[in-house]
Amino acid sequence: METKVEKIDENSLRTAAHLIRIGELVAFPTETVYGLGANAFDEAAVKKIYETKGRPSNNPLIAHVHAQYDISSLIDRDPPYAAALRRAFLPGPLTMVYPSTKKVAPSVSAGLNTLAIRVPSHAGTQAFLRAVNLPIVAPSANLSKHVSPTSAEHVFADFAGKISLILDGGASEGGIESTVLDVTGEVPLILREGLITREMIASVAGKCEKYFLKDGEQAKSPGMMYKHYAPRCETLLFDSLPEALAAYHAKEEAGKRVWLLTGGKWLEQLPPIRLLSLGAYPKDMAANLYKQLRAGEIMADCIVALVPAERGGIMAGVLDRLTRACRS
Ligand code: TXA
Ligand code: MG
């Protein structure tokens, strides 16, 4: 199968909408990461996502809709605080998990009674979702366990020959996946951290909890169970600069092509070194993380990652992704 990469315009949107309607997959940009999309009502198409990605069948998918789409037939209960959160943060990088009416194809929710819904803010995504006018389920457009994609080139690297169309909307500005928030209870519960932070949600909803998996319990969000986002080379993770530098030099002496990945204030203290820079500020670190992990796996035998010292706000999401990528 030939894989076309096309800029978003009237022609490519028409092709994309046609492919979705006949049950094919289309990759598309969002403000967080690229997604691999299918019609949420088409069970065979949804199954194709799991097969094409190599995704475990118990890990549910997010349904993406355009800003005017009426989600009331898809969700069973909608607490007042959820409406306030939608007004405050959507369209944007916040996914909300509702009790499901089960109108979408069964594989979407992978056996759960809930449905995750997201309204992306990227203008190209909105245009695509309006052209289709259906909920589009989409995981990140990477092979399962590989680093998430923030450009059409990243998607092409994983899926060339496996899907027919990648819509190219440029580099994803946000760079890490949406915040996933369970709104089925009295208090909103963060299942996955992202660019909409716990503080931001609490400022609108009054409260916001973070979900932690307890021993022996079934995960509320199965995606949390998996090693994720991993580059295809050795990765080592350190909190201290001297330890990271010692590991870097040891690898170098062993004849390995080693690169150091870090960001924030550490950048001011580094000796000359092969550096995968995440940039100075939290927003840059989110935007550059996956790009630099993907660049690193091509150039390096080993990535030595030095955990940025910055904390708070979106750093929770950045550090979550970095530690998962480098967890052995
Ligand atoms: O930013 C994003 O959310 C991107 C773009 C493409 O929109 N999508 C994305 O999808 O990251 P994916 O499939 O890679 O991650 C979805 C996460 C998984 O951790 C999954 O377990 C969780 O959302 N999830 C999906 N449906 C759920 C549900 N009904 N209940 C709990 N967690 C759910
Ligand atoms: Mg993913």
Side-chain angles (χ1 to χ4, degrees):
M1 181 188 296
E2 189 199 350
T3 301
K4 290 205 169 125
V5 180
E6 293 188 9
K7 293 259 183 292
I8 297 178
D9 59 23
E10 229 173 273
N11 272 331
S12 61
L13 287 177
R14 201 174 311 123
T15 311
H18 172 72
L19 288 168
I20 292 290
R21 284 193 206 105
I22 63 169
E24 293 299 324
L25 309 184
V26 172
F28 60 94
T30 83
E31 72 279 15
T32 58
V33 301
Y34 274 65
L36 180 63
N39 176 357
F41 296 123
D42 182 339
E43 174 69 2
V46 176
K47 283 211 162 115
K48 237 182 244 178
I49 290 183
Y50 286 92
E51 281 158 30
T52 308
K53 252 191 89 116
R55 183 182 180 96
S57 61
N58 66 347
N59 192 7
L61 302 172
I62 298 171
H64 299 65
V65 296
H66 62 72
Q68 283 75 42
Y69 194 89
D70 180 5
I71 60 168
S72 58
S73 67
L74 303 179
I75 66 176
D76 214 10
R77 214 163 355 96
D78 190 18
Y81 74 78
L85 290 171
R86 286 198 298 274
R87 280 193 299 275
F89 301 119
L90 301 190
L94 174 66
T95 295
M96 295 164 69
V97 175
Y98 302 88
S100 174
T101 54
K102 306 209 168 179
K103 295 262 162 59
V104 294
S107 291
V108 171
S109 294
L112 300 177
N113 294 320
T114 51
L115 175 65
I117 302 183
R118 160 156 149 70
V119 186
S121 61
H122 188 288
T125 328
Q126 282 291 321
F128 165 60
L129 293 170
R130 276 196 308 272
V132 190
N133 201 27
L134 287 166
I136 295 295
V137 283
S140 49
N142 51 279
L143 290 169
S144 192
K145 301 199 174 64
H146 194 208
V147 180
S148 294
T150 55
S151 69
E153 292 75 27
H154 292 162
V155 181
F156 190 83
D158 280 16
F159 292 115
K162 298 191 178 122
I163 58 175
S164 56
L165 179 62
I166 301 170
L167 292 174
D168 184 351
S172 298
E173 258 177 48
I176 61 172
E177 300 86 347
S178 62
T179 305
V180 178
L181 187 72
D182 181 312
V183 298
T184 62
E186 269 173 31
V187 176
L189 190 61
I190 292 189
L191 304 180
R192 177 176 75 183
E193 272 158 320
L195 299 173
I196 305 293
T197 64
R198 184 172 172 177
E199 300 82 32
M200 290 162 76
I201 293 164
S203 76
V204 172
K207 277 188 186 162
C208 179
E209 308 280 335
K210 164 93 174 69
Y211 176 72
F212 291 98
L213 183 61
K214 296 181 200 87
D215 262 358
E217 196 184 61
Q218 201 199 349
K220 254 186 183 290
S221 189
M224 299 169 64
M225 308 272 291
Y226 305 112
K227 180 181 158 90
H228 253 100
Y229 324 110
R232 294 182 175 133
C233 65
E234 186 187 5
T235 48
L236 300 172
L237 185 68
F238 298 93
D239 290 314
S240 99
L241 177 61
E243 280 177 35
L245 290 177
Y248 177 97
H249 291 303
K251 287 288 171 189
E252 194 170 46
E253 270 154 39
K256 302 280 184 201
R257 295 174 304 162
V258 55
W259 288 71
L260 187 96
L261 177 141
T262 196
K265 69 173 202 213
W266 291 131
L267 297 176
E268 295 156 22
Q269 300 174 44
L270 295 177
I273 208 167
R274 278 183 300 278
L275 176 66
L276 295 163
S277 172
L278 300 178
Y281 300 106
K283 259 186 182 265
D284 307 322
M285 295 193 241
N288 292 324
L289 178 64
Y290 292 143
K291 186 174 81 182
Q292 292 295 46
L293 287 170
R294 280 192 179 241
E297 72 177 1
I298 293 168
M299 303 186 296
D301 299 315
C302 177
I303 298 174
V304 171
L306 171 57
V307 178
E310 284 73 5
R311 293 291 178 276
I314 65 170
M315 288 310 292
V318 173
L319 300 181
D320 167 70
R321 304 311 193 278
L322 180 63
T323 47
R324 281 168 191 256
C326 301
R327 187 193 288 160
S328 49

